């Protein structure tokens, strides 16, 4: 009887450990998959309506596509040193074009429209990441990272801000200028909540979004900054830097994904079912199958 009791207890402990070891977000039994490590520095992953993922190789001035069929193709060179990307509802690719500190819209045929080239006559610091809201307006971060290909070495705008471009593209407004170095940005699919990672201050904030694009209720979400960010369908927030760290809606860490690179820059969901996590990390890009889908 004593041995039976010990056996039952051991089985219970093993079973309990297995349950605890299972990730709340990563598909059981899956492993990080290296797509390619042929790049200089990867950034800005964004999925189109079919699940193909576009990303930038920023130092080489290229935008690439990783298709739902597993093919890796170059989409565009001379891409304005694009960094962060996101797809608009009409299928155009929105890009933070760092070469001349601009915000671009790129058609499927690679026709470029410059949406923003400055603020009140001054050059932007360098649009870095962006998120279009459901109404068609665009939020973007504008930190300052000195680039070797720039002719200038000083800011024209001292503050490193978050801006909002109105849906009609007529008005550009400041929505937060009280940040050290805003970087990653993402909003909830319902358009009610915006998340901004202040990588310079090691913090990430949430905001309430209003109909006119302004923000209120700035709230500390977690004491961790991030380069890029994304959301899943459960409202979990994914932050990058040292791999990928996942937080639930209460700001509690629920997962950490180790990535074998010095820096993990950005992350998004893609694939045919919007259930593949696509990770840009230094010279490489990776995929990871998930239990959850990306927010959409």
């Amino acid at each position: 009887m004593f041995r039976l009791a010990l056996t039952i207890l051991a089985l219970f402990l093993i079973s309990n450990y297995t349950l605890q070891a299972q990730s709340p977000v990563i598909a059981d039994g899956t492993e990080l998959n290296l797509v390619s490590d042929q790049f200089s520095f990867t950034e800005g992953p964004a999925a189109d309506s079919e699940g193909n993922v576009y990303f930038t190789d920023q130092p080489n001035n290229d935008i690439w596509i990783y298709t739902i069929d597993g093919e890796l193709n170059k989409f565009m060179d001379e891409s304005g040193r694009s960094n962060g990307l996101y797809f608009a509802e009409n299928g155009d690719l929105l890009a933070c074009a760092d070469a001349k500190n601009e915000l671009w819209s790129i058609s499927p045929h690679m026709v470029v429209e410059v949406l923003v080239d400055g603020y009140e006559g001054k050059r932007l610091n360098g649009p870095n990441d962006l998120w279009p809201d459901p109404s068609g307006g665009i939020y973007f971060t504008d930190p300052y990272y000195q680039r070797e290909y720039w002719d200038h070495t000083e800011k024209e705008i001292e503050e490193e801000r978050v801006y909002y471009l109105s849906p009609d593209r007529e008005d550009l407004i400041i929505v937060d200028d009280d940040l050290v170095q805003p970087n990653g940005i993402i909003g909830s699919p319902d358009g009610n909540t915006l998340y901004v990672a202040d990588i310079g201050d090691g913090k990430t904030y949430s905001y309430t979004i209003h109909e006119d694009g302004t923000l209120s209720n700035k709230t500390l979400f977690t004491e961790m900054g991030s380069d890029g960010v994304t959301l899943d369908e459960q409202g979990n927030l994914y932050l990058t830097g040292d791999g990928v760290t996942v937080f639930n809606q209460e700001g509690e860490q629920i997962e950490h994904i180790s990535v074998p690179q010095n820096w993990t820059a950005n992350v998004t969901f893609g694939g045919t079912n919007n259930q593949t996590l696509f990770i840009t990390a230094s010279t490489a890009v990776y995929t990871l199958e998930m239990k959850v889908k990306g927010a959409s």
Side-chain angles (χ1 to χ4, degrees):
M1 180 64 72
F2 179 69
R3 288 183 178 178
L4 178 60
L6 286 177
T7 300
I8 293 172
L9 177 61
L11 289 172
F12 171 79
L13 290 173
I14 291 171
S15 175
N16 191 49
Y17 173 78
T18 301
L19 289 172
Q20 289 178 349
Q22 288 180 346
S23 170
V25 292
I26 302 171
D28 298 339
T30 193
E31 296 181 355
L32 197 67
N33 172 60
L34 173 65
V35 174
S36 177
D37 60 359
Q38 70 188 60
F39 308 103
S40 293
F41 190 83
T42 57
E43 251 286 8
D48 67 13
S49 59
E50 295 180 351
N52 304 298
V53 176
Y54 292 60
F55 65 96
T56 63
D57 185 6
Q58 210 266 356
N60 288 323
N61 204 16
D62 297 329
I63 298 176
W64 289 77
I65 313 171
Y66 183 61
T67 73
I68 54 176
D69 298 319
E71 297 179 356
L72 190 62
N73 302 308
K74 187 181 290 188
F75 168 68
M76 184 180 188
D77 51 20
E78 300 301 323
S79 66
R81 301 278 186 174
S82 288
N83 196 65
L85 306 173
Y86 214 101
F87 275 92
E89 280 291 324
N90 66 357
D92 287 351
L93 183 61
L94 304 173
C96 293
D98 200 53
K100 295 183 180 179
N101 313 87
E102 297 170 330
L103 192 67
W104 283 12
S105 179
I106 307 170
S107 78
H109 302 292
M110 292 176 287
V111 176
V112 172
E113 178 186 2
V114 178
L115 302 179
V116 178
D117 61 3
Y119 178 75
E120 294 186 344
K122 294 183 179 181
R123 180 181 57 234
L124 293 169
N125 289 320
N128 188 275
D129 209 350
L130 75 161
W131 177 73
D133 67 12
S135 68
I138 303 170
Y139 292 92
F140 67 92
T141 56
D142 189 44
Y144 188 86
Y145 295 102
Q146 181 64 47
R147 306 299 193 188
E148 60 182 14
Y149 44 81
W150 286 348
D151 293 330
H152 62 278
T153 57
E154 294 182 355
K155 298 177 177 181
E156 289 189 9
I157 299 172
E158 182 58 33
E159 296 83 5
E160 301 188 19
R161 299 164 169 161
V162 180
Y163 292 91
Y164 179 71
L165 179 64
S166 62
D168 62 8
R169 308 293 186 253
E170 294 295 326
D171 298 311
L172 181 65
I173 64 172
I174 301 164
V175 291
D176 193 348
D177 61 359
D178 188 24
L179 296 162
V180 177
Q181 197 170 45
N183 199 311
I185 188 169
I186 194 77
S188 59
D190 60 11
N192 292 331
T193 305
L194 186 73
Y195 297 91
V196 177
D198 187 350
I199 195 170
D201 199 26
K203 294 178 173 62
T204 296
Y205 296 95
S206 66
Y207 304 76
T208 298
I209 300 174
H210 299 286
E211 281 192 19
D212 61 357
T214 58
L215 305 175
S216 66
N217 300 325
K218 181 178 180 179
T219 303
L220 180 65
F221 178 78
T222 185
E223 292 271 1
M224 178 179 171
S226 183
D227 196 338
V229 297
T230 197
L231 282 166
D232 68 24
E233 62 184 348
Q234 297 179 355
N236 299 315
L237 187 68
Y238 294 62
L239 305 185
T240 63
D242 175 16
V244 181
T245 306
V246 187
F247 295 85
N248 64 20
Q249 294 183 68
E250 287 70 47
E252 301 164 338
Q253 182 178 331
I254 60 171
E255 183 59 270
H256 180 265
I257 302 166
S258 295
V259 178
Q261 295 287 335
N262 292 331
W263 185 255
T264 299
N266 217 322
V267 64
T268 197
F269 281 84
T272 53
N273 297 318
N274 196 29
Q275 206 162 333
T276 301
L277 194 67
F278 189 92
I279 302 167
T280 57
S282 298
T283 61
V285 290
Y286 298 86
T287 59
L288 183 65
E289 297 307 310
M290 307 295 284
K291 289 179 178 176
V292 293
K293 296 182 179 182
S296 61

